Amino acid sequence: MKALFTHVAVEPDKSLRYYERLGFTINSLDNAQHLISAAGISFLLDERPFIRPGWVFYGKETAELQAKLKQHSQLIPFEEGWLSLTTCGAWLRLVESLPPVISTHDALQDSALGSFAGWSMETLDLRKSQDFWNSLGFDLVAGDSNSSWITMRNGNTQQISFMKYGSCPHLFLGASLTFFNGKDNVEVIQGLKALGIPILQDVRVFSQGNKTENVVLQDPSGLGIFVFNDE
């Protein structure tokens, strides 16, 4: 099944202009949804009422996935399919339809945010989160559930890092886009400032000499964005 993260477009016009300024490709769909894409990444901004931020899994056949999810969480029917709640507190929808058509990521360029490293989410229990997302087809690719973080991947389509609550000394705004740029991150941050992108938090706890080497951003609709050097 194809997985996409959906965020509520609280400020749709401002949010679309924000991602255009950052160099993302935007495809506005016919159902008040906007597909936001760059190299390695696609997600949805959704203007429809009653929508909540969370993960959407698309597929015509969901019976097998329903059976696996019922071992970890409650499932209830809704008009588009089935609704559940992840171990991180994010909503999860099984939608019984085909996903939006996504441009080949290889044909897209990096945004001004740099190199996409997946999504980051906090959890109270890494072991339970690992089991839950494993039932959705995600495999462990880094970290250890006995430590403070793990990273899981669904083939080559989505990567999520789960952080144990209290292990990150910076703002954590729910599921957050994460970009790792190594030694180039200072230059990336300078580029963001030149574009007029506001910095929500200047994270200096990892830096030597109190330098700005990592930042947290927030788009106009509230989605968190980490731009880190990962060093």
Side-chain angles (χ1 to χ4, degrees), residues 1-221:
M1 297 186 76
K2 179 68 180 179
L4 281 175
F5 188 82
T6 296
H7 193 69
V8 180
V10 179
E11 295 276 5
D13 292 339
K14 290 181 180 179
S15 294
L16 295 179
R17 288 197 299 270
Y18 182 87
Y19 286 107
E20 284 177 346
R21 201 186 324 166
L22 288 170
F24 283 79
T25 297
I26 298 174
N27 292 310
S28 294
L29 310 179
D30 59 6
N31 55 355
Q33 294 178 309
H34 308 278
L35 186 66
I36 314 298
S37 304
I41 172 177
S42 290
F43 65 98
L44 287 168
L45 284 178
D46 199 324
E47 295 186 49
R48 295 177 297 169
F50 308 113
I51 290 294
R52 299 291 182 268
W55 288 92
V56 184
F57 283 74
Y58 297 89
K60 288 293 188 179
E61 300 293 334
T62 64
E64 182 179 351
L65 189 54
Q66 290 176 43
K68 291 180 179 179
L69 278 175
K70 285 178 180 177
Q71 299 176 30
H72 303 281
S73 182
Q74 182 181 6
L75 269 179
I76 60 173
F78 79 118
E79 59 184 13
E80 295 179 338
W82 297 86
L83 182 67
S84 186
L85 197 65
T86 73
T87 50
C88 301
W91 291 103
L92 184 145
R93 290 180 285 149
L94 302 183
V95 175
E96 295 174 336
S97 69
L98 295 176
V101 176
I102 298 173
S103 301
T104 303
H105 287 147
D106 292 342
L108 299 171
Q109 297 182 350
D110 283 338
S111 71
L113 298 168
S115 180
F116 182 58
W119 294 83
S120 293
M121 301 174 70
E122 281 189 306
T123 181
L124 288 174
D125 192 315
L126 287 172
R127 181 73 252 178
K128 287 183 179 179
S129 289
Q130 182 177 339
D131 291 343
F132 181 92
W133 288 88
N134 185 251
S135 73
L136 291 167
F138 283 71
D139 297 316
L140 182 70
V141 295
D144 186 328
S145 60
N146 293 317
S147 64
S148 59
W149 65 277
I150 58 173
T151 298
M152 302 188 74
R153 185 180 298 151
N154 178 11
N156 62 353
T157 60
Q158 293 288 355
Q159 179 167 297
I160 309 174
S161 292
F162 299 93
M163 314 297 179
K164 191 173 182 179
Y165 178 81
S167 64
C168 297
H170 53 75
L171 289 174
F172 218 118
L173 305 169
S176 298
L177 294 163
T178 304
F179 296 82
F180 288 154
N181 298 306
K183 61 181 177 57
D184 297 325
N185 204 52
V186 172
E187 183 178 345
V188 170
I189 293 170
Q190 290 172 346
L192 294 173
K193 291 179 177 178
L195 288 172
I197 301 298
I199 305 299
L200 180 64
Q201 184 183 28
D202 180 348
V203 183
R204 301 189 180 192
V205 66
F206 306 115
S207 307
Q208 294 183 356
N210 201 32
K211 298 178 181 178
T212 299
E213 296 179 351
N214 301 280
V215 295
V216 178
L217 313 178
Q218 186 177 38
D219 82 4
S221 290

